Every structure is written in C-alpha cells, then in structure tokens.
Amino acid sequence: MARKPEKGLTYRDAGVDDAAADSAIGEVAKLAKKTYGPHVVSGIGGFGGLFSLNGSIGLLGKHYKDPVLVACTDGVGTKLKVAFATGKHDTVGIDLVAMNVNDLIAEGADPLFFLDYFGTGKLDPGVMVEVLSGIVEGCKQAGMALLGGETAELPDLYAPGEYDLAGFCVGVMERSKAFDRTKIIPGDAVVGIASSGLHSNGYSLARKALLEVGGLKLDDVPHGFDATLGAVMLAPTRIYARAVTAVLKRYKVKEVVKGIAHITGGGLVANVPRVLPRSVDAVIEKSKLRPQPIFALLQDTGGIAEDEMYRVFNMGVGLVLICSDYYASAIVRTLNTKKVGEKAWIIGKVEDGKGEVRLV
C-alpha cells in the first residue's frame, strides 16, 4: 500500500500542478489582449468570454441587419507528433486557428472570436506559452479575438511530453449572403489559392511514408530542399481570412463568388463537392496545380499511388473559389496583389455532371 504524505495528500501529489498552470495562464492572458478590439467585453479570466455584436464588426466592418452566427471546431491532428519530436511548439497554434477559421470563411462568414482547449499529462508552462503564442498569432492573422480557453492537466490520459489541441471559432454573416450552391452553373471558373504545404492533414500517412518507410530524419535536409524535413512538415497552415474578405468586399456573393471550399482531409476530390450542386462537376486540370516539393518527396519515398495523393493531400491548393468565369481573372488579380499577398490562379471549370470533382 502506498505511503500517505506526512502533510496530507495534495493535487500536486496526484500529478496536477495548478500553480504552474495559473502562472502560464496569466502570461497567455497578456498575449490574448493583443487580439482584443472594442467588441470584447471580457476575455480570459472569467467563466466565459463576452463579445458584443453591436455596431460595425469583423474584418468586413459591417453593421449586420439579419446576422447569423457560424461556428466551427477542429484540431491539429498528428502533426502534433512532429512538434513533440522537434521540440518546436510555436507554430501548431497557428495551425489550430487556421483549421477552424478557414472552415468558417468557406461559409462566407466574418470571423469574430476563438477559444482553445489545451490538454496535457504534466503541464510544461514554457511549452504551453509557446503553443498559445501561436494561437495568438493565428488570431491576429485572422482578425479575431482569442476570447477564452481551457487548460487541462490530465496525468493519466496523455503520454509524457505530449498534449492535444482543439479549437472553436465563431463568426457572423448576413442571412441573405449565405452561399446558394444552385447558383453554380456550367462555365463557372474554379480558382485555386496556394497552400503553404501539407497544412494539417494526412500526417499519419506522411509520417509513415517519410519517417518509417523512407527512413528519413526530421533534421535531414532532403535533396532540393532549403530547410530540414521537420521545418517543412511544421510549416503552418495558411490562414485565408483576409484574402476572402478582400474578395467579398469587392465582388457580390451568389452572382460572382458562388462557393468556397477549404481543402482539408480528403483533398480536392472530397472537399470541392461539398459546395457543388448535384447537376455539375468541377473539372480540375492536374497540369495547372503547383504542389510544393514535399508532395513529390512523399509520393516517391512512400510509394504512394497518385490517386491516393489526391485523396489525402491538398496538392498545393489550400482554398478553392467557384466564381463567375467573367470575373475569374479579376478575382485572381485581387488575390495576387501585394496587399492581399496570395498566390492564386485558375485551375479548372465547371461542367455538367453529378456533383463530383474530375481530375484531368
């Protein structure tokens, strides 16, 4: 039988150091305030965060007449395993925000605020602050407030040195501006916006192909690369909120911009159909895609079939816009301006079909 502590059993004896958590949360609260605007009534510190919908809000700076709230939740997945192995934790928070807010803007919503969940076995305050600094950076990029979150120290649940992340994002949109997939018709254009690499999907396959089958190390610099494999795999997911805002401010929803797809797990093949009516297909030309070198390394090293690559990974395209062909070139120019800073191009067109993607 275990011996009882002389001064009585404490939470720390059970593996939970709440004093360390409180200290780290205080530091995070200071960071979070950098994301606050006039609509944050109260943020980190209470039992909930308060956000006002009065007045002009969001990146679009609109007064909403018939506002509809849009909510999303997501995580980072096994990309975290690369962070654990490299000891680099300051970018996965950006991934967490990106995976949520990119889903949000795919609905045409204006990002408002974000909440996070950080769960670990034994809290390392330094690691937690690194992770949360990435979340703050992601929120700044997305133009929304880090309104609150939860830190859980669960010594019997997580392996030593590991943690998990989940995020929750809320935005707003005008009810009349919701996308209507029936507006997508043959002749419309498919515009792709470049990803930053793998983003945060397919890492179970990527790690197996590169590290197990290929025998590569995360500190290797593969031929033709200018950074270590670990750095390339940890490149943060691109946040497209300001790019989409620039487009939606200039071009009409439904008549010009008819649908947006965030290319996550399932790649172009599974995600673009989520915005299509059953009467059309999106025909995407593989020759027009611009996958980064990591994708070729993955396919060659792991012996992965081309169909599987397109089924799992984004293949260089992180976001797709379906738009009127007449305005497609102008939308691409808007996205490629120095002010917006994206790399966009036309990757295909809409044809009669069954609500699928055809890769040609």
Side-chain angles (χ1 to χ4, degrees), residues 1 30 35 74 213 262 293 331 355 360:
M1 186 171 67
K30 294 177 185 177
T35 69
D74 208 339
V213 176
H262 179 202
I331 289 172
V360 297

Side-chain angles (χ1 to χ4, degrees), residues 292-342:
Q292 293 86 351
I294 185 65
F295 294 103
L297 180 66
L298 258 172
Q299 186 171 7
D300 294 343
T301 304
I304 304 172
E306 183 179 67
D307 286 351
E308 185 73 356
M309 290 293 297
Y310 280 98
R311 195 184 69 82
V312 176
F313 301 109
N314 66 61
M315 301 303 286
V317 175
L319 202 76
V320 163
L321 276 64
I322 309 292
C323 57
S324 165
D325 181 65
Y326 181 82
Y327 290 95
S329 294
I331 289 172
V332 167
R333 286 195 297 272
T334 297
L335 291 165
N336 289 341
T337 58
K338 186 176 181 180
K339 183 178 181 180
V340 177
E342 299 296 341

Side-chain angles (χ1 to χ4, degrees), residues 20-21 23-29 31-32 34 76 80 82-97 116 118 123-139 146 151 161 163-165 234 236:
S23 176
I25 290 169
E27 184 64 30
V28 169
L31 291 171
K34 297 179 181 179
V76 180
L80 292 177
V82 183
F84 305 153
T86 60
K88 181 174 171 58
H89 306 279
D90 60 343
T91 59
V92 289
I94 300 174
D95 288 301
L96 182 66
V97 175
D116 70 271
F118 178 96
L123 183 68
D124 182 328
V127 170
M128 177 184 167
V129 171
E130 270 194 80
V131 172
L132 270 292
S133 69
I135 293 175
V136 168
E137 173 59 27
C139 287
L146 176 57
T151 301
Y163 54 81
D164 196 16
L165 299 174
L234 283 176

Side-chain angles (χ1 to χ4, degrees), residues 61-355:
K62 293 178 62 176
H63 287 75
Y64 287 87
K65 297 177 181 178
D66 186 12
V68 174
L69 293 179
V70 182
C72 298
T73 184
D74 208 339
V76 180
T78 60
K79 186 173 186 175
L80 292 177
K81 288 283 191 180
V82 183
F84 305 153
T86 60
K88 181 174 171 58
H89 306 279
D90 60 343
T91 59
V92 289
I94 300 174
D95 288 301
L96 182 66
V97 175
M99 294 305 290
N100 282 274
V101 76
N102 287 343
D103 279 353
L104 191 84
I105 61 173
E107 295 292 339
D110 198 359
L112 297 179
F113 58 84
F114 188 82
L115 300 101
D116 70 271
Y117 171 85
F118 178 96
T120 188
K122 181 173 177 58
L123 183 68
D124 182 328
V127 170
M128 177 184 167
V129 171
E130 270 194 80
V131 172
L132 270 292
S133 69
I135 293 175
V136 168
E137 173 59 27
C139 287
K140 288 164 68 176
Q141 290 183 26
M144 61 183 176
L146 176 57
L147 197 60
E150 170 68 7
T151 301
E153 195 170 7
L154 307 168
D156 299 324
L157 190 58
Y158 295 97
E162 298 194 353
Y163 54 81
D164 196 16
L165 299 174
F168 312 90
C169 185
V170 174
V172 65
M173 65 187 300
E174 199 72 71
R175 185 188 297 268
S176 63
K177 297 296 183 181
F179 288 120
D180 179 357
R181 68 178 63 193
T182 65
K183 300 293 185 181
I184 299 175
I185 60 174
D188 286 339
V190 181
V191 172
I193 309 179
S195 69
S196 57
L198 295 176
H199 282 187
S200 298
N201 297 105
Y203 273 76
S204 295
L205 177 57
R207 290 185 300 109
K208 187 172 186 66
L210 297 170
L211 308 180
E212 292 185 31
V213 176
L216 297 173
K217 306 296 183 186
L218 291 171
D219 57 0
D220 289 344
V221 179
H223 179 71
F225 284 60
D226 57 6
T228 65
L229 180 60
V232 172
M233 293 183 75
L234 283 176
T237 306
R238 191 142 183 90
I239 292 174
Y240 299 104
R242 295 184 187 275
V244 169
T245 298
V247 171
L248 296 185
K249 276 185 173 181
R250 187 170 295 189
Y251 304 98
K252 292 182 178 180
V253 172
K254 296 183 183 179
E255 291 88 351
V256 178
V257 183
K258 302 184 179 185
I260 301 175
H262 179 202
I263 310 306
T264 58
L268 292 161
V269 174
N271 286 288
V272 175
R274 295 166 71 176
V275 304
L276 297 176
R278 296 286 181 91
S279 58
V280 301
D281 287 349
V283 180
I284 295 174
E285 297 181 51
K286 289 186 284 186
S287 63
K288 291 187 176 179
L289 301 182
R290 305 170 187 174
Q292 293 86 351
I294 185 65
F295 294 103
L297 180 66
L298 258 172
Q299 186 171 7
D300 294 343
T301 304
I304 304 172
E306 183 179 67
D307 286 351
E308 185 73 356
M309 290 293 297
Y310 280 98
R311 195 184 69 82
V312 176
F313 301 109
N314 66 61
M315 301 303 286
V317 175
L319 202 76
V320 163
L321 276 64
I322 309 292
C323 57
S324 165
D325 181 65
Y326 181 82
Y327 290 95
S329 294
I331 289 172
V332 167
R333 286 195 297 272
T334 297
L335 291 165
N336 289 341
T337 58
K338 186 176 181 180
K339 183 178 181 180
V340 177
E342 299 296 341
K343 296 177 181 177
W345 65 103
I346 297 171
I347 61 173
K349 60 183 178 180
V350 175
E351 295 183 356
D352 288 321
K354 299 181 293 183

